[in-house]
């Protein structure tokens, strides 16, 4: 993850980069992860783990002390872990139950896609979204089925940190 800031301090000896993460299930507190040289304006954190949310902030420092951190912390999410044990269970002619085990700490939602009456291999482009909403629970139900069709489902976790526009999807798991 690359963090950039504006070098607006005139008398700094450097900058302290601090990170907060939710690896233990909640944000645990700020830890200094790097010190940069004077007049620097960026840092790349290569130590982030998958399936986590991070917050970063920067402080200028010199012999007299350190500044307050910049405005709001910068948030960043990494790719969430893939759901496991995806299965589909017949409920009625037009309804199947889709179950999965959520493995992601940092998932905002899960997406379920369905392929029907085709060769639905793992990389098939014929899967269509049927549900994508803020749910992390299983089971979910697909009630838009037709009689005498074959179906296959796949599920993925999705995460998006506050202020980010890119959705980071996990790999797919298949029923």
């Amino acid at each position: 993850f690359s963090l950039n800031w504006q070098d607006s301090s005139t008398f700094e000896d450097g900058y302290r980069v601090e990170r907060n993460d939710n690896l233990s299930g909640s944000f645990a507190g700020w830890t200094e992860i790097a010190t940069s040289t004077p007049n620097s304006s960026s840092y790349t954190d290569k130590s982030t783990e998958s399936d986590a949310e991070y917050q970063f902030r920067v402080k200028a420092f010199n012999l007299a002390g350190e500044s307050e951190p910049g405005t709001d912390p910068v948030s960043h999410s990494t790719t969430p872990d893939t759901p496991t044990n995806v299965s589909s269970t017949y409920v009625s002619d037009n309804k199947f139950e889709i179950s999965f085990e959520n493995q992601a700490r940092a998932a905002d939602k899960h997406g379920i896609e369905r392929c029907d009456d085709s060769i639905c291999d793992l990389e098939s482009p014929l899967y269509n979204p049927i549900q994508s909403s803020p749910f992390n629970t299983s089971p979910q139900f697909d009630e838009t089925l037709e009689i005498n069709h074959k179906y296959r489902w796949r599920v993925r976790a999705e995460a998006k940190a506050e202020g980010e526009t890119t959705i980071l999807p996990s790999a797919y798991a298949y029923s």
Side-chain angles (χ1 to χ4, degrees), residues 4-106:
N4 298 297
W5 62 89
Q6 185 172 352
D7 175 20
S8 56
S9 180
T10 324
F11 302 107
E12 84 274 8
D13 291 336
Y15 289 93
R16 291 187 193 352
V17 178
E18 296 179 333
R19 181 176 75 193
N20 192 1
D21 63 56
N22 73 340
L23 295 174
S24 63
S26 61
F27 285 100
W30 294 100
T31 303
E32 184 177 313
I33 59 169
T35 303
S36 68
T37 59
N39 302 316
S40 61
S41 60
S42 66
Y43 170 74
T44 300
D45 185 355
K46 296 179 182 178
S47 65
T48 57
E49 296 182 27
S50 70
D51 192 31
E53 292 179 64
Y54 293 93
Q55 296 174 330
F56 295 88
R57 67 183 185 186
V58 178
K59 298 177 181 181
F61 71 91
N62 62 21
L63 290 175
E66 62 184 27
S67 69
E68 290 296 316
T71 54
D72 293 330
V74 173
S75 296
H76 173 68
S77 291
T78 55
T79 303
D81 288 342
T82 303
T84 58
N85 298 323
V86 175
S87 65
S88 54
T89 304
Y90 174 85
V91 176
S92 68
D93 285 344
N94 65 346
K95 183 177 181 179
F96 265 74
E97 175 184 286
I98 313 304
S99 298
F100 61 93
E101 290 182 22
N102 178 16
Q103 301 299 320
R105 287 184 298 234

Side-chain angles (χ1 to χ4, degrees), residues 143-163:
E143 300 182 63
T144 58
L145 307 176
E146 296 179 27
I147 297 173
N148 297 322
H149 285 251
K150 294 183 284 183
Y151 296 100
R152 187 174 190 186
W153 292 268
R154 65 184 183 185
V155 179
R156 71 178 184 182
E158 299 175 347
K160 185 172 87 170
E162 186 176 327

